[in-house]
Amino acid sequence: MWETNTLVNLLGIKYPIIQAGMAGGATTPELVAAVSNAGGLGTLGAGYLSPHAIREAVREIRRLTDKPFAVNLMVTEPASADRDAIDKMQGILKRFEKDLGEPFSFENLSLDPQPFEEQLEIVLDEKVPVFSFTFGIPKPFWLEKLKANGTVIIGTATNVQEGLALERAGVNAIVAQGSEAGGHRGTFFKNAENEGIGTMALIPQMVDRVKLPVIASGGIMDGRGVVASLALGAAGVQMGTAFLTSEESGIHPVYKEAIRKARDDQTVMTKAFSGKKARGIENQYIRVMRDFEADILPYPIQNALTKPLRNAAKKHGNKEYMSLWAGQAASLSQNAPAKQIVENVVRDVERVLGILSAMHASSHLPKA
Ligand SMILES: Cc1cc2nc3c(=O)[nH]c(=O)nc-3n(C[C@H](O)[C@H](O)[C@H](O)COP(=O)(O)O)c2cc1C
């Protein structure tokens, strides 16, 4: 049985299919619970949520499912930038007020990220079954506390060195995020020479070097992607974009439509929205900001500064100024309830495996 392995046993789920934690509003409690109820692992993308909001969402998820689920956080430190650089970026962003039809206010805007350790306190306090993270590794103190709490821990790596560091830190499984992936790169090794290793190349190299279960992520949308990941040695998959277009996803309808219509060549990597490399569908904002690359501030300051612009874009349903995070295989997305997406993927895995075994039976190739 393809679905029975160490990962499903570790997580207490039926299928090795994880819905990615996606900060920014996509992963509603309804989405998380629907995926978990369908036998996958739903994940709350809690990176941008206040500790209080995380507690509320976790309680809501528990009202909707009694199955395991995950909370995902970003290991983020506050950054600094000098006042002139901040003023300059605000001036650049103000150019877009005209297109959006309203002025932006930068007053009362916090440039600091949500307090990571206070967010983690909630994960501990609520005894969340699975905790996943990206952008770094939490301090040993926190990982020990989570383990003592019985929480399964999943870290994100974009190269083998990061995978080995996560293994040494004591996580239970590793998401190997290929460069096809939608959203932010999880890269945290400052000396990584290339942040863009593709899923196909990354998974087998990671599997060969780490002992932990590897979860393939990036560009996986259907049974073909799942079977390919298993063939490369992964124990399961983490899918993000595939669930953005689900009925329960909290993203703007215009964003959903952009994903459904995206072509294979329309996503790009950009720092323009957040100050950190992320993959999304190219739009006017990304194109204009190429002239201001040197002025883009570090994450999470740039992210905070573009919030008024992104909020105005949402208000007016203007996709040219929204961060349309999506993976390279966005066009394979389905507009359906999350339960159906999980069921379709599972059925498709079985279809593909059937075809592959029939190919083997009728193959003229000599046995290895
Ligand atoms: C809208 C969006 C937001 C994301 N936010 C997060 C996040 O908060 N934490 C995280 O670990 N990964 C995040 N990711 C990355 C996913 O975990 C995953 O690596 C990616 O979605 C896989 O590629 P795919 O979108 O092609 O399936 C995000 C991805 C998207 C598309």
Side-chain angles (χ1 to χ4, degrees):
M1 293 291 274
W2 67 273
E3 74 269 27
T4 316
N5 63 28
T6 47
L7 185 70
V8 292
N9 293 339
L10 177 72
L11 299 172
I13 56 176
K14 195 165 171 204
Y15 304 115
I17 296 173
I18 300 175
Q19 164 254 310
M22 294 180 280
T27 59
T28 59
E30 289 75 17
L31 172 57
V32 176
V35 173
S36 289
N37 283 333
L41 184 79
T43 309
L44 176 75
Y48 302 144
L49 296 180
S50 68
H52 175 73
I54 295 175
R55 195 189 293 283
E56 294 288 295
V58 165
R59 292 191 172 169
E60 183 59 18
I61 292 165
R62 283 210 159 106
R63 269 192 284 277
L64 300 170
T65 186
D66 58 0
K67 300 279 188 298
F69 64 92
V71 169
N72 175 280
L73 291 177
M74 295 148 154
V75 185
T76 308
E77 300 281 328
S80 61
D82 64 51
R83 194 63 244 173
D84 288 351
I86 292 173
D87 288 345
K88 188 167 182 202
M89 181 47 62
Q90 289 180 352
I92 293 167
L93 293 170
K94 277 192 159 292
R95 294 163 184 244
F96 303 113
E97 288 178 334
K98 198 160 40 61
D99 286 359
L100 281 161
E102 63 175 80
F104 308 145
S105 168
F106 297 101
E107 270 168 46
N108 306 322
L109 199 65
S110 167
L111 299 184
D112 289 334
Q114 290 290 344
F116 177 64
E117 299 197 340
E118 287 170 44
Q119 292 175 313
L120 260 179
E121 284 286 5
I122 304 293
V123 174
L124 279 166
D125 201 42
E126 290 290 329
K127 293 203 182 305
V128 168
V130 182
F131 169 63
S132 66
F133 61 86
T134 186
F135 298 176
I137 309 181
K139 295 196 178 86
F141 167 82
W142 292 104
L143 296 180
E144 277 153 29
K145 278 195 146 197
L146 285 159
K147 280 195 169 168
N149 224 18
T151 297
V152 177
I153 307 170
I154 305 177
T156 307
T158 61
N159 57 52
V160 171
Q161 291 309 310
E162 289 173 349
L164 291 168
L166 287 166
E167 187 166 71
R168 280 195 299 275
V171 305
N172 302 110
I174 295 169
V175 168
Q177 187 194 39
S179 59
E180 298 91 323
H184 285 99
R185 300 296 300 140
T187 308
F188 58 92
F189 266 22
K190 298 279 177 290
N191 60 354
E193 289 188 18
N194 186 331
E195 294 185 20
I197 308 169
T199 307
M200 185 98 169
L202 179 60
I203 304 308
Q205 297 187 79
M206 189 74 83
V207 167
D208 285 354
R209 296 290 301 282
V210 303
K211 295 182 193 71
L212 297 171
V214 172
I215 300 157
S217 191
I220 302 160
M221 304 294 287
D222 57 22
R224 293 171 296 182
V226 176
V227 173
S229 303
L230 298 176
L232 294 171
V237 298
Q238 174 161 292
M239 297 160 60
T241 305
F243 288 102
L244 283 176
T245 53
S246 67
E247 269 174 23
E248 295 87 346
S249 147
I251 66 172
H252 196 287
V254 166
Y255 177 8
K256 266 190 202 176
E257 198 192 334
I259 294 175
R260 299 285 296 114
K261 286 190 179 155
R263 288 196 322 257
D264 56 353
D265 61 351
Q266 281 180 324
T267 70
V268 292
M269 208 75 100
T270 181
K271 283 188 176 183
F273 281 106
S274 69
K276 196 175 186 60
K277 271 190 198 159
R279 180 178 297 287
I281 299 167
E282 191 179 62
N283 59 11
Q284 175 72 2
Y285 174 74
I286 294 174
R287 278 189 291 272
V288 174
M289 288 302 284
R290 289 206 178 105
D291 289 341
F292 302 101
E293 246 157 52
D295 301 306
I296 291 172
L297 296 167
Y299 180 89
I301 296 177
Q302 182 75 11
N303 202 44
L305 292 177
T306 60
K307 204 171 173 187
L309 169 126
R310 289 180 285 120
N311 284 344
K314 276 189 205 154
K315 187 169 141 197
H316 297 287
N318 186 339
K319 71 174 171 26
E320 296 306 321
Y321 295 93
M322 288 180 192
S323 47
L324 305 170
W325 304 137
Q328 285 181 327
S331 78
L332 300 176
S333 59
Q334 314 164 41
N335 189 205
K339 176 180 189 288
Q340 204 177 311
I341 294 177
V342 175
E343 287 172 359
N344 289 349
V345 172
V346 167
R347 203 174 318 113
D348 200 34
V349 168
E350 278 151 14
R351 179 189 71 94
V352 175
L353 287 174
I355 293 172
L356 289 177
S357 64
M359 277 170 70
H360 176 73
S362 65
S363 159
H364 296 291
L365 286 170
K367 275 189 184 164

